[in-house]
Amino acid sequence: TLQRCLPLPTLRGEWQSGLVGSRCPGKVSPTGWISVLHFTVNEDLKQMLESSKDSAKLDAMKRIVGMIAKGKNASELFPAVVKNVASKNIEIKKLVYVYLMRYAEEQQDLALLSISTFQRALKDPNQLIRASALRVLSSIRVPIIVPIMMLAIKEASSDLSPYVRKNAAHAIQKLYSLDPEQKEMLIEVIEKLLRDRSTLVAGSVVMAFEEVCPDRIDLIHKNYRKLCNLLIDVEEWGQVVIIHMLTRYARTQFVSPWKDLFHENNFYESDEEQKEKDQKVKDTYSMDPDHRLLLRNTKPLLQSRNAAVVMAVSQLYWHLAPKSEASVVSKSLVRLLRSNREVQYIVLQNIATMSIQRKDMFEPHLKSFYVRSTDPTMIKTLKLEILTNLANEANISTLLREFQTYVKSQDKQFAAATIQAIGRCATNITEVTDTCLNGLVCLLSNRDEIVVAESVVVIKKLLQTQPAHHGEIIKHMAKLLDNITVPVARASILWLIGEYCERVPKIAPDVLRKTAKSFTDEDDLVKLQILNLGAKLYLTNSKQTKLLTQYVLNLGKYDQSYDIRDRTRFIRQLIVPNEKSGALSKYAKKIFLAQKPAPLLESPFKGRDHFQLGTLSHTLNSQATGYLELSDWPEVAPDPSVRNVEIAESAKEWTGILGKPKKEKPTEKFYSESEEEEDESAGTNSSGRYLESILHLHCLENCIFRTDLCLNKIEKVTKKSRAVYKIRKSEAKVYVTTQVSVPAKTHELLHRMSGKGLAAHYHFSRQPGIFGDHMVSVQVTVTNTTDHKIENIHIKEKKLPPGMRMHEFSPIECLEPAGSITVSVGIDFCDSTQIASFQLCTKDDCFSVSIQPPVGELLLPVTMSEKDFKKEQAFIPRLCLNILSVPNPRLL
Amino acid sequence: MIHSLFLINAAGDIFLEKHWKSVVSRSVCDYFFEAQERASEAENVLPVIPTPHHYLLSVYRHKIFFVAVIQSEVPPLFVIEFLHRVVDTFQDYFGVCSEVMIKDNVVVVYEVLEEMLDNGFPLATESNILKELIKPPTILRTVVNTITGSTNVGDQLPTGQLSVVPWRRTGVKYTNNEAYFDVIEEIDAIIDKSGSTITAEIQGVIDACVKLTGMPDLTLSFMNPRLLDDVSFHPCVRFKRWESERILSFIPPDGNFRLLSYHVSAQNLVAIPVYVKHNISFRDSSSLGRFEITVGPKQTMGKTVEGVIVTSQMPKGVLNMTLTPSQGTHVFDPVTKLLSWDVGKINPQKLPSLKGSMSLQAGTSKPDENPTINLQFKIQQLAISGLKVNRLDMYGEKYKPFKGIKYMTKAGKFQVRT
């Protein structure tokens, strides 16, 4: 604390400067003192920095960083330090970076000396060096270098190393805060980085998006599905940012899944009609698959060890999931209560808000909110808040028993909060109102004044709701007035007596007499209530109290507080009739003794739900800087196809390249149509399919298809035109090529981990199906990675979609350790990409596996002469004709 | 996001500051000191404090306040969780996280903080990666560095940063390959006056110490995985396999880490291994009170209960206590009014007890509440929930590792109301 008061340093400064002999009289400031104090010290640091030995330099840098850490000023060493920015020693270099980031802003001209070093480092072959150069360059807050930074960011955003690209994303925010005018250019970079598929970049670029252009929701469309799918592999901090962003996104793009809760019962409708209506509502709402995708992909993250991730998913479910699904988060939130007190504090606040609307979510966990005497007070009060929110007819008796323990707590602040809670339970659950009231009255004889005062206040509120038969309690409280000193409690008692003075006609004037005596010593709050009491008694019982009231009013007239004087004047005009008083005094009785509505005892968390859960604004219950409002669900969902882009757009790109754009129906329609067709044609000869491919393969001059994209397109066409070809299939003469280049790409069927050492891979051989025309041939390679024999490997329990068939391989008797064997399986996929699931079994175990053909593998290569090809081509309906040319890979 | 970080000790001195964006004057901490004064105890300082231009988010650990300065909206848990991660990292680097340790290693601390955040956004928080970037100080390395002039700072990007297993460093080599797993369960319970359980639940963790060469791929299976009501994983655990087969499959980080934490809910009956008999009474008239507690074993499955410590916060009116324990030692602090009795092992034949009297301040009335008794204990070789590890297998590497599993049950927040 000595450090924090000013005089001492100044004194010491004077002493120091006196010693050095450079004192300017009357100009000693604390900063002057510091630089003078360090004068000698810094001199030897400078020498060390200029020495030729790295060890001396390193030592000096370490001492300087120590100074920075302690908050001491080391800025005058800047010229000496900046010289070492190009040091070969990496630790010296790093420490110089630390120094630069701290002081460059203050010493802009000198900082420029270091820039060229960073520019060189940006081209370094080592990605760590490139990344850290970018980091430091962008952290130097010198406006002159903005163009250099912009260039560096642009370059880094297309770096091969995802780590450098991640740093580029961070640099975007730094540049934006240095120069907001660069916004448009930066958005371009953000757009580019959003397309990045690296999990390393995703979190950082979304962060940059949130900071620079959170309103450009349109940038997200194309990346929405990718972000959802990457989410689980992104590092935890990135997950939090992405989830929060996607929550906002989803609220603008999907319709509310809560519809069924909103409609109100129409009185005149019969039950039948109502049911029909319900049905309609249910029928009309079906969740957008993208909405579902988000919910499905975030759910596993509830199991994260990071509390921030769990909270982020919880708020996402709260704001986006159908009401029936939101409750999956409660268990995970309750788990977080085992964590540190700070985490508990935030989580409990959010649970408090949730529990107001959705008791059912946390009722099963009621006991997890029981208070321990060792909890800090803030945790105790929050738990109490939640317990009160969760109270209902069924659990109230248990809760009240629990509350009784809390009331006796040594932590009096908490005991007072408990009394408030009891009051709230009493008003909300009418069954226990009397019990609670009796309990509170018992507390009036408590020794602790805070407890008594709080009880008085709560009883006052309770009595107001049903004053009819509580004369006794009011009498009892009047007696307490002599002992209670807490102003709020005294004021409450006085108000009660005044309000119900006709129920206690004998006591009321006496109370006024007593308080009139002590008027001058009372708190303002109490004085006001004494005036009130006087006024009310004057109106109901003026015979006994006229003089007393006038005495009190006279005291009030000369009070120090203008509030009191003001109130006195007001009351006097109203109740004491004189020639000046207007029409109002006739109604004085009605004004003062009107029936007052009972106060509503409700949770302080009631209004908080308009803030997004899990945000700083929610915690503070006031809007924080930069808070982004969560929009309401749109009435009608915006066009969902904007997110479809991936396939459509890449296809468009392709057609663009190929120079032959053609009319294409929306992808979705394509699918649904072809599915219909599948039903008809399932099981028919599928040579048409082969034929189709022939044409195109020929068109490509027997080039090898490498790109799935092209195949994908061809396949779509295949489906369309299959019907046509069915008619012509008898005429078609097809010579199946056996010589064909097969991509070496294999797919994993069974990982050795899940197969207890048995591994299996498969690939599509693109060979004519040896098991028949319909069957696609799949080569399965089984490997034994264990150190013992695996016996009797076979296929069991096939689960195939209707129409699909499968020809299994004959069981493998025995597979030696480290041995592997390849077998053929024939599967008729019915021209669809449906999954074939089956079990791969050994003697002891069974493993469920599945094969899904990637788009474009359901092909068979054939050779035919150009003439034949032209002939076949002529039969293809116009609509389905699709001409592409693919460069010969051998020429590439 | 995070603008600056201030470290403040118990005396209220700022002993370290670090800024990731432009410098925020340390005078912003005055708001924090104000809040600290208002809260009677360190524990009651609110974790989120708004000031006119900034927000202060803090965590309190090892008697140090870690105060982060924020300028705009951010999920508060994000910052809090990060600050805790900072403390964990320090602990990992220096063994303990104390003011002295931080001051002694200020340069390493600074370098670590520099790597953990970039522009206020977390960059590298996995300790395996940080340790490759900045090597933790050891005596041997300090000596070597002074002689050879080499440094603590790595010059290659840790491969973990880029790989699909960012938590594991590469090129791990051990002569003895070993993997130890500790299943530790804590019982949280509130027992009422009469000895009946108000609430009890089990929180468990599996802490691992894995020192295996190369890239081992481990699977750990349980005899009774159904017991686990709610789990949270280290990022290395493959979630899909847990969902489908209830098997933990993972490539472990190198060294110590928490593999799993789990919760066995209050719905299952929880065995309470100890009971406390108590007789604490104050009388209105006299200034003396009686105090008597006995601790005994209840459902211990035949295991010994050890490491028993009884603590109790006595009411303010208690001036002193004259007590005799049948075993162990006891201390009563007349300033904080904290009674603590280190019991040790419980011998079922001769139950430990603590008897005596309390002297109360003359003139004050008797306290309305009896003190709560907090209990700590340990039971070795027992997981009270009955959870059992079935087997541990390793794939991907050829050698045979040494494997070990240890079970332990501890008291968590175990309170007896009197």
Side-chain angles (χ1 to χ4, degrees):
Chain A
T1 44
L2 274 180
Q3 286 285 327
R4 267 188 279 137
C5 51
L6 256 176
L8 192 64
T10 326
L11 274 177
R12 228 195 275 161
E14 274 174 297
W15 171 74
Q16 261 287 346
S17 45
L19 198 72
V20 178
S22 66
R23 184 183 168 196
C24 324
K27 264 192 94 178
V28 178
S29 66
T31 42
W33 160 68
I34 287 172
S35 60
V36 174
L37 180 68
H38 286 161
F39 183 69
T40 42
V41 185
N42 291 350
E43 209 42 48
D44 76 309
L45 279 176
K46 266 183 204 162
Q47 270 167 20
M48 286 166 83
L49 284 171
E50 265 149 42
S51 97
S52 54
K53 275 196 214 134
D54 270 1
S55 59
K57 286 183 181 175
L58 187 60
D59 238 21
M61 280 318 295
K62 283 187 173 171
R63 276 168 59 189
I64 294 170
V65 167
M67 283 164 71
I68 297 176
K70 288 193 196 89
K72 289 181 187 156
N73 190 354
S75 62
E76 58 156 31
L77 287 165
F78 204 98
V81 173
V82 81
K83 276 180 212 160
N84 291 301
V85 72
S87 169
K88 287 271 178 299
N89 182 312
I90 188 130
E91 191 165 15
I92 296 181
K93 193 153 58 175
K94 277 217 163 165
L95 294 177
V96 173
Y97 287 178
V98 169
Y99 183 91
L100 267 177
M101 289 192 220
R102 172 66 178 78
Y103 287 115
E105 204 172 4
E106 294 172 23
Q107 312 251 349
Q108 307 216 349
D109 293 343
L110 285 170
L112 294 177
L113 293 177
S114 61
I115 303 297
S116 63
T117 322
F118 297 125
Q119 282 179 306
R120 224 173 305 132
L122 282 172
K123 305 254 179 330
D124 197 280
N126 183 337
Q127 48 178 344
L128 182 62
I129 293 183
R130 286 204 302 280
S132 61
L134 181 65
R135 256 182 85 185
V136 185
L137 181 70
S138 54
S139 299
I140 296 178
R141 288 167 295 273
V142 179
I144 304 174
I145 63 162
V146 164
I148 298 175
M149 274 164 80
M150 192 68 225
L151 204 70
I153 290 172
K154 271 190 181 162
E155 250 166 53
S157 69
S158 38
D159 198 286
L160 277 181
S161 157
Y163 185 70
V164 177
R165 298 202 297 273
K166 185 188 180 72
N167 278 285
H170 288 179
I172 292 173
Q173 305 165 53
K174 299 185 211 169
L175 181 53
Y176 180 64
S177 65
L178 185 65
D179 183 9
E181 301 213 329
Q182 303 293 320
K183 188 172 175 178
E184 288 312 312
M185 294 243 262
L186 288 173
I187 290 177
E188 276 170 36
V189 183
I190 289 175
E191 200 175 355
K192 178 169 164 195
L193 284 174
L194 274 172
R195 283 200 295 268
D196 204 301
R197 299 199 73 86
S198 165
T199 50
L200 211 55
V201 183
S204 304
V205 68
V206 171
M207 188 66 225
F209 170 83
E210 291 281 82
E211 206 110 311
V212 179
C213 51
D215 46 335
R216 288 291 301 276
I217 272 292
D218 57 297
L219 297 181
I220 301 301
H221 292 321
K222 306 180 219 83
N223 302 297
Y224 173 83
R225 286 180 197 159
K226 183 193 76 193
L227 284 174
C228 286
N229 289 323
L230 285 184
L231 196 57
I232 194 141
D233 293 318
V234 174
E235 35 82 43
E236 37 199 351
W237 310 107
Q239 285 173 345
V240 179
V241 177
I242 296 176
I243 293 173
H244 273 271
M245 187 275 289
L246 288 179
T247 310
R248 271 191 317 116
Y249 176 86
R251 280 292 276 263
T252 60
Q253 299 298 319
F254 307 127
V255 286
S256 168
W258 306 332
K259 283 264 162 60
D260 41 358
L261 287 178
F262 282 140
H263 78 81
E264 283 158 25
N265 267 330
N266 194 332
F267 189 76
Y268 295 103
E269 266 171 332
S270 68
D271 279 0
E272 282 296 299
E273 279 171 66
Q274 187 62 44
K275 259 183 209 160
E276 247 169 58
K277 219 180 173 187
D278 280 1
Q279 201 59 44
K280 233 185 240 166
V281 171
K282 269 181 196 151
D283 284 347
T284 47
Y285 178 73
S286 68
M287 192 184 276
D288 187 304
D290 286 328
H291 189 171
R292 177 49 71 200
L293 176 78
L294 178 61
L295 292 176
R296 196 175 50 227
N297 284 9
T298 47
K299 195 174 166 193
L301 296 178
L302 283 173
Q303 252 69 48
S304 170
R305 64 170 171 171
N306 188 321
V309 177
V310 177
M311 189 66 235
V313 179
S314 305
Q315 67 82 25
L316 181 133
Y317 263 74
W318 177 258
H319 290 296
L320 299 180
K323 297 281 180 195
S324 55
E325 288 172 43
S327 49
V328 296
V329 304
S330 42
K331 215 190 256 177
S332 307
L333 284 177
V334 170
R335 184 187 71 227
L336 295 184
L337 297 182
R338 275 282 301 180
S339 195
N340 301 293
R341 80 179 173 109
E342 296 89 7
V343 175
Q344 280 186 46
Y345 174 72
I346 306 287
V347 173
L348 284 171
Q349 279 191 327
N350 284 290
I351 293 181
T353 304
M354 291 185 186
S355 60
I356 294 172
Q357 283 183 34
R358 295 285 308 271
K359 276 187 191 188
D360 56 299
M361 272 174 73
F362 294 97
E363 251 176 49
H365 304 283
L366 187 73
K367 287 189 170 173
S368 303
F369 303 107
Y370 279 10
V371 175
R372 294 185 155 79
S373 62
T374 42
D375 288 331
T377 310
M378 57 179 178
I379 301 292
K380 283 183 189 163
T381 33
L382 279 170
K383 281 185 172 175
L384 188 67
E385 175 63 40
I386 294 167
L387 287 175
T388 319
N389 287 343
L390 294 179
N392 60 19
E393 282 85 354
N395 59 27
I396 186 69
S397 55
T398 347
L399 270 183
L400 283 180
R401 219 174 308 133
E402 187 68 16
F403 284 172
Q404 270 170 19
T405 328
Y406 302 165
V407 169
K408 286 188 243 154
S409 163
Q410 292 175 30
D411 182 345
K412 290 305 164 199
Q413 205 189 331
F414 173 58
T418 310
I419 294 165
Q420 290 271 7
I422 295 174
R424 258 172 62 198
C425 290
T427 40
N428 296 343
I429 302 162
T430 42
E431 281 92 334
V432 292
T433 314
D434 285 339
T435 330
C436 289
L437 203 52
N438 289 339
L440 290 172
V441 171
C442 291
L443 285 178
L444 289 178
S445 46
N446 194 292
R447 253 179 241 101
D448 192 275
E449 193 167 50
I450 304 169
V451 172
V452 177
E454 199 67 41
S455 313
V456 168
V457 175
V458 173
I459 290 176
K460 178 211 132 191
K461 289 181 182 164
L462 281 182
L463 286 188
Q464 229 182 316
T465 54
Q466 36 176 226
H469 38 274
H470 295 299
E472 277 309 305
I473 297 177
I474 296 170
K475 270 181 210 164
H476 182 78
M477 288 171 73
K479 282 178 203 154
L480 279 173
L481 202 59
D482 294 339
N483 302 321
I484 294 182
T485 56
V486 179
V488 200
R490 287 181 73 85
S492 294
I493 297 176
L494 289 174
W495 183 87
L496 264 181
I497 293 170
E499 189 65 21
Y500 306 115
C501 54
E502 281 163 73
R503 286 178 209 285
V504 280
K506 284 186 185 145
I507 293 175
D510 198 44
V511 170
L512 183 63
R513 180 186 61 83
K514 277 187 183 169
T515 48
K517 227 171 168 181
S518 61
F519 186 87
T520 42
D521 304 325
E522 298 283 5
D523 188 274
D524 280 1
L525 210 60
V526 185
K527 282 180 184 167
L528 287 178
Q529 290 309 326
I530 297 173
L531 290 170
N532 246 343
L533 174 66
K536 285 171 186 169
L537 282 176
Y538 186 96
L539 292 168
T540 51
N541 184 6
S542 64
K543 208 162 79 190
Q544 271 187 309
T545 58
K546 193 173 177 181
L547 286 172
L548 264 175
T549 309
Q550 263 163 4
Y551 172 69
V552 172
L553 286 175
N554 282 334
L555 284 177
K557 191 175 173 184
Y558 300 107
D559 198 272
Q560 282 192 319
S561 156
Y562 52 74
D563 262 351
I564 308 278
R565 296 199 298 275
D566 184 53
R567 179 69 62 89
T568 311
R569 213 166 294 133
F570 165 72
I571 289 177
R572 191 191 291 274
Q573 288 301 319
L574 213 53
I575 59 171
V576 186
N578 57 10
E579 65 277 11
K580 264 192 272 172
S581 64
L584 266 184
S585 59
K586 265 187 269 172
Y587 302 103
K589 200 167 180 177
K590 275 191 180 163
I591 290 169
F592 275 100
L593 293 168
Q595 189 88 40
K596 281 135 195 122
L600 219 58
L601 297 173
E602 54 183 22
S603 166
F605 281 82
K606 190 120 196 180
R608 278 204 196 185
D609 53 346
H610 67 272
F611 288 115
Q612 185 176 359
L613 289 188
T615 58
L616 186 62
S617 305
H618 174 265
T619 294
L620 295 170
N621 199 17
S622 73
Q623 187 155 334
T625 346
Y627 173 76
L628 298 165
E629 197 92 29
L630 203 59
S631 71
D632 273 334
W633 298 100
E635 285 289 312
V636 184
D639 182 15
S641 64
V642 283
R643 286 183 295 276
N644 273 345
V645 277
E646 259 174 283
I647 297 167
E649 194 168 81
S650 37
K652 220 182 279 164
E653 267 171 38
W654 269 95
T655 40
I657 292 164
L658 302 169
K660 283 265 176 183
K662 65 178 188 69
K663 275 183 199 166
E664 218 176 356
K665 288 186 182 175
T667 343
E668 286 207 343
K669 218 164 180 191
F670 246 136
Y671 273 116
S672 55
E673 264 179 37
S674 55
E675 241 132 46
E676 275 161 36
E677 266 178 84
E678 235 141 54
D679 294 335
E680 304 159 22
S681 60
T684 58
N685 191 328
S686 44
S687 64
R689 175 183 69 200
Y690 298 147
L691 200 60
E692 178 67 26
S693 348
I694 305 161
L695 299 176
H696 290 275
L697 283 172
H698 251 273
C699 159
L700 304 166
E701 293 175 324
N702 287 333
C703 279
I704 302 157
F705 254 134
R706 281 212 175 147
T707 332
D708 272 355
L709 269 173
C710 305
L711 290 176
N712 173 24
K713 280 191 93 175
I714 291 178
E715 206 198 24
K716 276 183 212 153
V717 181
T718 314
K719 283 175 184 161
K720 280 298 289 183
S721 50
R722 199 190 311 122
V724 185
Y725 275 85
K726 257 193 288 181
I727 314 162
R728 294 186 10 88
K729 69 182 176 209
S730 50
E731 298 160 38
K733 279 182 191 145
V734 175
Y735 304 97
V736 175
T737 320
T738 44
Q739 283 290 314
V740 65
S741 303
V742 177
K745 193 181 174 198
T746 60
H747 308 266
E748 187 164 84
L749 186 63
L750 178 66
H751 190 258
R752 64 186 154 80
M753 303 296 311
S754 17
K756 299 189 182 165
L758 179 72
H761 290 82
Y762 65 92
H763 71 273
F764 294 89
S765 64
R766 298 193 181 165
Q767 298 281 330
I770 43 172
F771 305 107
D773 269 357
H774 322 275
M775 297 277 191
V776 174
S777 147
V778 182
Q779 302 282 328
V780 180
T781 309
V782 198
T783 316
N784 181 357
T785 61
T786 62
D787 46 10
H788 53 268
K789 283 181 188 173
I790 296 180
E791 290 172 19
N792 190 24
I793 304 169
H794 60 280
I795 288 178
K796 237 172 68 178
E797 290 195 29
K798 291 175 281 187
K799 272 186 222 126
L800 303 175
M804 270 171 68
R805 288 177 307 133
M806 179 172 173
H807 189 285
E808 53 201 68
F809 60 85
S810 51
I812 302 163
E813 294 276 284
C814 170
L815 192 57
E816 293 295 324
S820 80
I821 198 164
T822 305
V823 288
S824 267
V825 182
I827 304 174
D828 178 8
F829 283 106
C830 298
D831 296 345
S832 68
T833 52
Q834 296 183 78
I835 303 172
S837 310
F838 53 90
Q839 284 197 332
L840 194 61
C841 300
T842 65
K843 203 177 102 196
D844 313 306
D845 297 292
C846 288
F847 312 103
S848 300
V849 293
S850 60
I851 294 181
Q852 182 176 24
V855 196
E857 277 296 359
L858 302 179
L859 287 170
L860 186 74
V862 288
T863 333
M864 64 193 335
S865 72
E866 202 180 336
K867 208 178 109 203
D868 287 344
F869 173 75
K870 289 253 166 73
K871 209 171 106 195
E872 293 296 339
Q873 198 182 28
F875 288 100
I876 300 177
R878 266 283 138 222
L879 192 70
C880 300
L881 185 62
N882 191 7
I883 300 169
L884 339 145
S885 70
V886 168
N888 190 330
R890 267 168 293 182
L891 299 177
L892 282 178
Chain B
M1 286 191 144
I2 298 172
H3 229 88
S4 305
L5 176 70
F6 293 98
L7 267 53
I8 298 171
N9 66 11
D13 293 327
I14 303 168
F15 66 92
L16 187 121
E17 62 178 73
K18 171 94 186 87
H19 308 275
W20 283 275
K21 300 184 184 181
S22 36
V23 180
V24 176
S25 157
R26 53 165 68 192
S27 63
V28 76
C29 291
D30 290 349
Y31 292 99
F32 182 80
F33 296 129
E34 244 172 60
Q36 205 178 359
E37 253 164 57
R38 241 178 292 132
S40 46
E41 286 160 56
E43 287 231 303
N44 278 331
V45 179
L46 288 182
V48 183
I49 302 165
T51 78
H53 300 289
H54 300 92
Y55 304 96
L56 305 178
L57 274 68
S58 63
V59 305
Y60 180 64
R61 273 176 77 183
H62 305 289
K63 304 221 160 66
I64 302 172
F65 280 103
F66 295 75
V67 184
V69 183
I70 310 295
Q71 232 169 12
S72 60
E73 174 64 54
V74 58
L77 272 185
F78 186 99
V79 181
I80 286 168
E81 184 79 28
F82 176 79
L83 291 177
H84 280 299
R85 206 60 72 79
V86 170
V87 184
D88 293 342
T89 311
F90 287 170
Q91 222 169 351
D92 199 33
Y93 260 75
F94 313 122
V96 281
C97 176
S98 65
E99 187 186 346
V100 180
M101 243 346 177
I102 291 174
K103 276 182 173 168
D104 285 353
N105 294 294
V106 71
V107 175
V108 177
V109 165
Y110 232 66
E111 285 170 335
V112 168
L113 286 176
E114 190 67 53
E115 288 302 334
M116 288 185 86
L117 279 184
D118 180 20
N119 196 35
F121 189 77
L123 192 62
T125 50
E126 284 295 337
S127 92
N128 261 258
I129 286 184
L130 283 170
K131 281 184 174 168
E132 268 186 81
L133 284 168
I134 294 138
K135 301 197 178 67
T138 61
I139 296 168
L140 181 71
R141 188 167 298 125
T142 324
V143 175
V144 170
N145 284 355
T146 26
I147 297 167
T148 62
S150 56
T151 65
N152 281 338
V153 179
D155 61 349
Q156 284 295 322
L157 183 70
T159 39
Q161 268 289 28
L162 300 173
S163 74
V164 282
V165 279
W167 52 85
R168 189 171 177 86
R169 57 192 187 95
T170 45
V172 183
K173 266 200 189 108
Y174 289 101
T175 37
N176 294 321
N177 288 294
E178 36 192 33
Y180 297 106
F181 294 87
D182 292 353
V183 180
I184 303 165
E185 295 194 336
E186 293 192 354
I187 306 174
D188 286 358
I190 302 178
I191 312 287
D192 81 352
K193 231 178 218 170
S194 59
S196 53
T197 313
I198 294 179
T199 160
E201 48 192 24
I202 299 169
Q203 307 284 343
V205 294
I206 300 184
D207 281 340
C209 175
V210 178
K211 295 181 171 170
L212 297 174
T213 308
M215 272 286 167
D217 201 329
L218 303 179
T219 57
L220 184 82
S221 60
F222 299 101
M223 305 276 256
N224 39 9
R226 273 168 194 284
L227 271 178
L228 308 181
D229 185 38
D230 182 45
V231 283
S232 75
F233 302 117
H234 189 275
C236 69
V237 176
R238 298 186 177 99
F239 183 73
K240 286 253 163 68
R241 287 205 70 193
W242 172 258
E243 281 286 272
S244 59
E245 301 165 66
R246 300 274 138 177
I247 285 176
L248 295 176
S249 157
F250 55 98
I251 295 174
D254 184 44
N256 294 313
F257 67 102
R258 175 155 295 174
L259 177 65
L260 167 80
S261 27
Y262 60 89
H263 178 259
V264 179
S265 76
Q267 274 86 352
N268 299 11
L269 273 183
V270 176
I272 303 292
V274 290
Y275 69 88
V276 178
K277 258 208 291 207
H278 49 87
N279 184 2
I280 303 169
S281 58
F282 303 97
R283 265 160 296 167
D284 252 333
S285 49
S286 112
S287 61
L288 276 181
R290 261 176 46 142
F291 186 92
E292 194 181 328
I293 41 177
T294 311
V295 188
K298 214 168 159 189
Q299 297 160 284
T300 61
M301 330 270 166
K303 302 278 200 294
T304 345
V305 184
E306 49 186 33
V308 180
I309 298 171
V310 177
T311 50
S312 182
Q313 180 70 50
M314 303 307 283
K316 287 205 179 62
V318 177
L319 279 184
N320 213 338
M321 303 181 84
T322 331
L323 303 168
T324 9
S326 70
Q327 71 176 73
T329 51
H330 78 282
V331 188
F332 175 71
D333 183 341
V335 181
T336 58
K337 316 283 179 200
L338 192 73
L339 170 73
S340 130
W341 173 32
D342 189 343
V343 185
K345 237 179 229 175
I346 297 183
N347 177 1
Q349 268 73 51
K350 197 175 152 286
L351 296 179
S353 64
L354 182 69
K355 288 180 198 171
S357 60
M358 302 173 276
S359 55
L360 296 162
Q361 205 163 5
T364 53
S365 45
K366 87 175 199 174
D368 12 276
E369 192 200 25
N370 279 342
T372 319
I373 298 169
N374 295 301
L375 221 58
Q376 288 170 49
F377 57 80
K378 259 191 268 181
I379 305 170
Q380 302 281 2
Q381 297 309 323
L382 172 74
I384 198 89
S385 69
L387 186 77
K388 270 232 147 60
V389 171
N390 184 22
R391 54 181 300 157
L392 175 74
D393 295 300
M394 188 182 76
Y395 303 88
E397 295 289 337
K398 292 270 181 279
Y399 55 84
K400 283 253 180 296
F402 184 80
K403 302 176 270 194
I405 302 265
K406 218 168 70 183
Y407 296 93
M408 182 152 67
T409 297
K410 288 202 284 195
K413 294 175 185 159
F414 198 101
Q415 293 203 331
V416 182
R417 291 176 180 165
T418 62

